[in-house]
Each structure stands twice: as C-alpha cells, then as structure tokens.
Amino acid sequence: MQIRRAEAADEEALARIRRSAIRALAVPALSVEQAEKWATQVVADRFARAIREHDVWVAVEGTEIGWVEVDRDRVASLYVSPSYSRRGVGSVLLAQAETSIWSAGYVMAHLESSPNALDFYL
C-alpha cells in the first residue's frame, strides 16, 4: 500500500469511497435511512475544495482504497473502502494525518467521530 497526496483526478474516488464506507460500515450504529442520508448528503464541490484547501492523503493499492483529510490540527475525514476495512488502512491513514498535523507545528490533534468509528479512534 502506498500513501500519496490527493489530486484533482481523485475527486470521484474520494466520493465513491465515502459513499460505500458509510453505506456498509455505519449500520448498525445508525439506521439504514440515516446512513443513506449521510452517504448522499455532500456539497457539490466538497472534494475539490478539500484537496485545494487541506491536506488530503490517499491510500492506494492498485486503486484508491481510503483517504484522510487534515484541516490544520483536525482530522476532518477518514474513510476506507469496505473491502479493505479492518486491514490496517485506517490506522496508516490516521498515522499520516498525525504526521501532517505535527509537521505543521501543532502539538495536539482533534477529531469528531461518528458512532460507528468511535471504537477505531479509541
């Protein structure tokens, strides 16, 4: 697995990974209806803006399999394709986010978690 900076050509892959991860992994912490609403609720230029304004890192193993977004001292998003869930991809992406945060001079990282990811972060 390789980790690289996201580029404009990754926008659709980021969106696809986010949708599939929410649909497959957010239930049973959320209802199917809540997960579907979350998966499909995105501002039009959300991924382009993230790539342009934040540090976005993509995990690649032949194709894009996960990504993390860092906004200054905050892990803003972290999603892994369901077929790669529980295989260490999220941990590698979180470590990359922490490195990005520390390299920017911050001494503490912040994040908010959905109920389904709480155990991962703890």
Side-chain angles (χ1 to χ4, degrees):
M1 172 178 41
Q2 296 180 328
I3 304 295
R4 63 168 173 76
R5 297 233 6 155
E7 35 194 59
D10 294 316
E11 290 177 36
E12 182 50 41
L14 302 184
R16 176 182 37 78
I17 291 167
R18 179 185 176 276
R19 280 190 310 270
S20 64
I22 293 169
R23 288 176 175 147
L25 305 173
V27 178
L30 302 174
S31 70
V32 172
E33 294 79 18
Q34 290 170 315
E36 186 61 27
K37 182 177 179 182
W38 178 21
T40 57
Q41 191 174 37
V42 176
V43 176
D45 69 339
R46 190 258 187 264
F47 300 104
R49 194 177 55 233
I51 291 169
R52 187 175 59 249
E53 297 176 7
H54 302 148
D55 291 337
V56 180
W57 302 94
V58 180
V60 179
E61 195 167 274
T63 189
E64 297 85 353
I65 59 172
W67 60 278
V68 64
E69 174 187 2
V70 176
D71 178 6
R72 295 174 293 198
D73 65 342
R74 182 174 68 94
V75 179
S77 299
L78 192 157
Y79 294 96
V80 175
S81 292
S83 58
Y84 286 86
S85 176
R86 303 194 191 295
R87 294 173 55 186
V89 177
S91 295
V92 170
L93 287 167
L94 184 58
Q96 178 62 52
E98 291 171 339
T99 298
S100 181
I101 290 167
W102 308 153
S103 295
Y106 296 100
V107 296
M108 185 178 295
H110 297 73
L111 63 83
E112 294 179 17
S113 176
S114 57
N116 62 293
L118 190 56
D119 287 340
F120 167 75
Y121 291 114
L122 290 175

